[in-house]
Amino acid sequence: MKTPIDQTGAGCKFCGSQHQKEFIAQERMFRLPGSFVYQECLSCGSLQIKEPPADLDQFYPDQYYSFSSLQRSPSWKNILKKIRMKLFLNAGIFAPSYGYWLGKVHRHFDQKIADVGCGNGQLLYELHASGYGSLAGFDPFIDEDLSLGSGIRLFKRSFDQAEGTFDLIMMHHSFEHMEYPDQILKACYEKLNPGGTLLIRCPVTDAQVWKDKREYWVQLDAPRHLIIPSVSGLGILGQKVGFSLEEVEFDSSDFQFWGTEAYEKELPLNPEQILPDYSKAELNQFKQKALRYNQEGKGDQACFYFTKPFRS
Ligand SMILES: [Zn+2]
């Protein structure tokens, strides 16, 4: 169901265009009731929810994936992780599944790293196990401030309340849950050391799956995703804040296909229920298609590498 309307409101949060059209989306992950109005920018293609629901918390039930508990590994395994990371950084082999992007942002193991929207801190834990020594996570939705060991702390606060500055600030699928992209980018700019990198991984509307399947797109994720940029939209906003956009790397997976097909079949997003319906060959085809989409710039998520110039 689409309702094309020209908006005269505040405009696109990424490029500022007033030309937007509206459409209605449903919550599909848990099949919760409600209809949510989104605005699609007719200029840059970015999406934003028109108004986040007042009771947004109720759309994050306990089974929501970011609430899983931290998985610690035994110390012998952490020694292997350190060796593996050195091999990856020095020889380009054994890229960690959680951090292929590290090859582009690694400078030294003492670089100060912030993970914005860190959840339980699993990624920071893995980085710590792999040799990084100065790690901080920020997330207003965790229960309390927490130390996961020396050199690795989690803070229950939004990033604009963070103290200190960083060499690398990262957001891994947290950016799209924030209402005001300009504010978070400005906070990142202020807290990033000159020459440092801001890494944002998020869904993007360049996705062929979005163009083909519209409201069934699994990463539309209404109403939790408050914003979804296009590559050009986030590029425009980042540069407006002062960043230089160095590279955009698509990193979508087979999830975009089987997740979206589940929503077309009106199924909740339960991999244990969905995946057995596919043969190994079919899932392999999805993986191959995802790789091709990434190469062609039409995968459904991407990694943005911004840097803060030494002099702005
Ligand atoms: Zn726009």
Side-chain angles (χ1 to χ4, degrees), residues 69-83:
S69 55
L70 180 74
Q71 303 292 315
R72 290 176 184 270
S73 41
S75 51
W76 65 265
K77 213 168 184 183
N78 289 343
I79 292 168
L80 290 182
K81 285 179 185 177
K82 285 187 179 67
I83 295 169

Side-chain angles (χ1 to χ4, degrees), residues 12 15 41 44:
C12 172
C15 78
C41 177
C44 77

Side-chain angles (χ1 to χ4, degrees), residues 16 25 44 77 82 100 106 128-129 140 163 166 177 183 192 203 207 221 261 287:
C44 77
K77 213 168 184 183
K82 285 187 179 67
Y100 69 87
H106 173 85
H128 190 255
E163 285 172 15
F166 301 91
H177 295 265
Q183 289 180 13
L192 194 62
D221 201 25
E261 283 192 359
K287 286 193 170 77

Side-chain angles (χ1 to χ4, degrees), residues 7-75:
Q7 285 301 298
T8 50
C12 172
K13 290 178 178 176
F14 292 93
C15 78
S17 169
Q18 299 292 321
H19 296 285
Q20 292 170 288
K21 71 174 180 185
E22 295 188 351
F23 66 93
I24 309 285
Q26 262 86 44
E27 199 288 331
R28 295 184 188 276
M29 187 184 284
F30 307 107
R31 301 186 59 74
L32 299 170
S35 292
F36 310 96
V37 180
Y38 275 77
Q39 297 168 316
E40 178 179 13
C41 177
L42 297 176
S43 180
C44 77
S46 299
L47 301 180
Q48 59 199 43
I49 198 166
K50 189 173 184 183
E51 202 174 327
D55 52 352
L56 193 55
D57 282 1
Q58 80 166 71
F59 295 97
Y60 288 90
D62 289 345
Q63 66 266 44
Y64 186 69
Y65 65 86
S66 75
F67 297 145
S68 54
S69 55
L70 180 74
Q71 303 292 315
R72 290 176 184 270
S73 41
S75 51

